[in-house]
Amino acid sequence: MCKDFNDIVLKEKKDGTKITVRDVQLATLEMMKDIDAICRKNNIEYWLADGSALGAIRHKGFIPWDDDFDIGMMRSEYERFIKVLEKDLDKEKYTFHCFEKNKKYEVTWPSMKIRKKNTYIKEMNKLLPNRCTDCDGIFVDVFVYDYMAKTTFLDLPLRLCNTALMPIIVILENVWINPIPLKWLYRFNAKFYGKLNKHSKYIGDDLTWTYRSPLKPLRCLKDKVLPTVLVPFEDTELPVANDAKHYLIQNYGENYMTPPPVVKRTPIHVYDINLTSSEPEE
């Protein structure tokens, strides 16, 4: 861990106490240990995704300036995971939000957010507020992965459809219209695309994740991701793709082990936060 970054302050409270990136990391790590225990108990296969995977390989834990936690799983596992959480998630500590359980959920987000109760977070992106108002707690993002076409020609039609739908859904939600039919279509396109390619050897973000260029989607060989392997992460072990190099090159390019310039080593997600209450500090 790069100790120089441990004291990045996200918020200074009125009493002078400070909430740092490291505080958020330790809180989400506690969450992740509980999520991992549920997955192990129920044989749910998942892996650290995106920046969390990069942190595991490059730093053996969090990227020192990272302020969120991402995991991924195949759609079939995700559908089981919803049922498992209803049964095994500690309802005193956590809740989870997803479109399957709450039609107010923002479908252009990761497919699920598992939130910690009695905490509060407001993200930087003000165009995507949390509409599931029962809990605004800190969270772990769950991304769905699905089968995908080998070529851009076969990949683009449905991907472009969801790319076009995304801003319409966001705009409508920002004028307080919940476009459930469009959300349903958005999700249907993603599931349909996965079924069309169910015999493919490639997997990637499902089509509800439209924040990459449609011409350069994440495309990984499934057998380079699954089965997963355990690697050190902070004071525990968590699963990553079995060929983490392949996965990270697809995400970040050949130079993924080289940290960005110092000026870019900053947290990007948190606008406001409270780790001891479910309310923002007045």
Side-chain angles (χ1 to χ4, degrees):
M1 177 62 64
C2 299
K3 293 183 179 179
D4 292 347
F5 291 91
N6 279 357
D7 58 354
I8 297 175
V9 176
L10 294 172
K11 180 176 181 178
E12 183 169 351
K13 301 174 75 172
K14 290 182 178 179
D15 64 4
T17 60
K18 298 175 181 178
I19 301 174
T20 67
V21 168
R22 189 58 177 163
D23 293 329
V24 175
Q25 290 177 350
L26 293 176
T28 53
L29 180 61
E30 176 193 350
M31 294 178 66
M32 195 59 237
K33 289 177 180 178
D34 290 340
I35 293 166
D36 180 70
I38 291 172
C39 289
R40 289 177 187 243
K41 174 184 174 182
N42 293 278
N43 296 312
I44 301 287
E45 189 165 31
Y46 78 95
W47 59 90
L48 301 186
D50 303 321
S52 298
L54 180 59
I57 301 304
R58 196 168 71 192
H59 303 277
K60 299 189 185 303
F62 289 96
I63 297 172
W65 51 93
D66 195 9
D67 56 356
D68 78 338
F69 210 115
D70 301 324
I71 66 174
M73 60 183 65
M74 294 297 292
R75 184 178 303 282
S76 57
E77 296 293 89
Y78 173 75
E79 290 172 351
R80 287 205 302 125
F81 190 50
I82 293 172
K83 297 176 182 178
V84 162
L85 290 179
E86 291 180 320
K87 175 172 59 79
D88 288 344
L89 190 67
D90 184 345
K91 306 304 189 300
E92 295 296 318
K93 292 175 65 175
Y94 303 117
T95 189
F96 69 98
H97 295 156
C98 59
F99 186 66
E100 288 85 354
K101 293 298 175 182
N102 189 333
K103 295 301 182 286
K104 292 182 179 179
Y105 187 76
E106 169 55 69
V107 293
T108 71
W109 274 351
S111 292
M112 178 188 292
K113 288 180 179 286
I114 302 173
R115 292 186 179 270
K116 185 175 182 181
K117 295 181 177 180
N118 300 313
T119 65
Y120 170 82
I121 187 170
K122 184 177 182 179
E123 295 187 74
M124 285 289 190
N125 193 335
K126 296 179 182 179
L127 291 178
L128 298 173
N130 178 28
R131 302 298 187 198
C132 302
T133 54
D134 63 298
C135 181
D136 282 313
I138 61 172
F139 55 82
V140 170
D141 280 329
V142 182
F143 288 85
V144 170
Y145 283 61
D146 211 339
Y147 295 98
M148 64 184 300
K150 178 180 180 180
T151 67
T152 300
F153 175 77
L154 295 173
D155 179 80
L156 267 179
L158 283 171
R159 189 174 299 278
L160 286 175
C161 181
N162 269 14
T163 300
L165 278 173
M166 182 271 285
I168 299 172
I169 291 171
V170 171
I171 289 169
L172 289 172
E173 292 216 298
N174 275 276
V175 295
W176 292 95
I177 296 172
N178 187 9
I180 293 176
L182 292 183
K183 288 181 173 183
W184 181 88
L185 177 61
Y186 191 78
R187 295 291 299 270
F188 174 82
N189 287 342
K191 290 183 179 182
F192 182 63
Y193 175 83
K195 289 179 179 179
L196 283 178
N197 294 288
K198 63 182 179 180
H199 299 299
S200 173
K201 61 182 179 180
Y202 293 94
I203 62 172
D205 299 315
D206 91 329
L207 293 196
T208 62
W209 188 248
T210 52
Y211 297 99
R212 300 181 191 268
S213 166
L215 296 175
K216 295 181 179 180
L218 175 63
R219 180 181 285 110
C220 299
L221 287 164
K222 182 184 177 185
D223 65 7
K224 298 286 189 178
V225 177
L226 300 172
T228 59
V229 296
L230 292 173
V231 298
F233 193 96
E234 301 288 341
D235 61 353
T236 188
E237 289 186 326
L238 294 173
V240 298
N242 67 66
D243 188 339
K245 180 178 179 180
H246 169 82
Y247 177 80
L248 291 171
I249 286 174
Q250 304 312 307
N251 262 285
Y252 300 105
E254 294 282 350
N255 296 323
Y256 67 89
M257 288 298 287
T258 302
V262 172
V263 69
K264 293 186 176 181
R265 301 179 194 180
T266 59
I268 62 173
H269 296 94
V270 177
Y271 180 79
D272 190 15
I273 193 162
N274 193 335
L275 296 180
T276 57
S277 170
S278 61
E279 300 293 333
E281 188 179 38
E282 296 296 331

